[in-house]
Amino acid sequence: MNKHILAAAAAVAMPGAASAAESVAPDYMQRAAPALARYTDNVLFGDVWKREELSPRDRSVVTLSVLVSTGKSAQIRPHLERALDNGVTPTEIGGLITQLAFYSGWPNAFSAVQIADEVFQERGIDASAIQPATTPLNDKPANDGQRESAVNNGVGQIAPTLGEMTNEVLFNELWLRQDLAARDRSLVTIVALTASGDADQLGFHLQRGIENGLTKAELGAAMGHLAFYAGWPKAFSGATALGKLGNGN
């Protein structure tokens, strides 16, 4: 058995493995669901968050992407603060929320951005630290013409507005903004699609993520991490889609 799993299992089986002072789990969880508190302390934060397949920064990006895309507003604040502590910049947080407005809907983004604004103000983060609304755009990928033609000849024939917005706003602007690196933009999108149960959309974005610099090992680790925040069934669906990419990085 994996040494990480053995260590985590031993910690969970050991009463008092984490003292009340060290516990991440809130008091109400320790009273109402003590087993959940143990798993929170000893497996999620005591093991998964410490694994080296993803940096703490990337784990924060994954976690925030799940919470924002699934509308888990009550959990966003502590993880947004943790993300800042783990090196995610205010500009990147703004970019993450903006990306997810398109992939999980404006209502989820509105809820998240209100919390982000409160945290930024509390931390004294000035607006100058956040990228402005319009910026120079990165170059389009060399193979983007094929994607654009597929949209025009497919959904564009059925829903012209959707086709137009997909090409002109989503891929010709949002995806080219500089508030998120292309790698991170792919990671945010892949995590959101997985967490929302939209696995049928993952094939294209997983391949694009590889092209943008993500590795299959990193994506596999992301699926393992998001299982705790979006649930095992969705993580399994995402991992299955990842497996269909075949061998490679």
Side-chain angles (χ1 to χ4, degrees), residues 13-72:
M14 188 185 307
S19 70
E22 298 169 338
S23 179
V24 177
D27 291 343
Y28 61 79
M29 183 185 294
Q30 296 182 42
R31 291 192 300 270
L36 178 59
R38 276 211 200 134
Y39 284 120
T40 298
D41 285 334
N42 300 318
V43 180
L44 180 54
F45 287 98
D47 180 3
V48 174
W49 269 90
K50 294 181 179 179
R51 294 194 176 206
E52 297 179 355
E53 298 95 328
L54 285 178
S55 67
R57 176 198 175 276
D58 283 352
R59 292 192 183 277
S60 280
V61 169
V62 170
T63 306
L64 274 181
S65 297
V66 173
L67 298 177
V68 174
S69 65
T70 57
K72 303 297 191 298

Side-chain angles (χ1 to χ4, degrees), residues 200-240:
D200 59 325
Q201 298 292 313
L202 275 174
F204 167 81
H205 284 289
L206 286 166
Q207 184 58 51
R208 188 181 183 97
I210 296 293
E211 293 167 1
N212 284 339
L214 288 165
T215 68
K216 287 191 71 175
E218 288 172 331
L219 288 168
M223 297 302 167
H225 188 94
L226 72 82
F228 287 84
Y229 291 93
W232 251 247
K234 291 184 175 67
F236 260 70
S237 295
T240 299

Side-chain angles (χ1 to χ4, degrees), residues 145-243:
Q146 183 177 1
R147 179 211 56 75
E148 186 171 348
S149 295
V151 170
N152 286 333
N153 297 326
V155 72
Q157 300 297 313
I158 303 164
T161 298
L162 177 59
E164 177 187 346
M165 294 296 166
T166 298
N167 283 333
E168 297 305 319
V169 180
L170 190 63
F171 284 100
N172 286 353
E173 184 173 330
L174 178 71
W175 271 88
L176 305 181
R177 285 182 55 86
Q178 296 179 359
D179 42 13
L180 277 181
R183 172 194 179 274
D184 292 339
R185 203 171 289 279
S186 281
L187 180 60
V188 167
T189 305
I190 289 165
V191 169
L193 292 174
T194 303
S196 300
D198 296 317
D200 59 325
Q201 298 292 313
L202 275 174
F204 167 81
H205 284 289
L206 286 166
Q207 184 58 51
R208 188 181 183 97
I210 296 293
E211 293 167 1
N212 284 339
L214 288 165
T215 68
K216 287 191 71 175
E218 288 172 331
L219 288 168
M223 297 302 167
H225 188 94
L226 72 82
F228 287 84
Y229 291 93
W232 251 247
K234 291 184 175 67
F236 260 70
S237 295
T240 299
L242 178 61

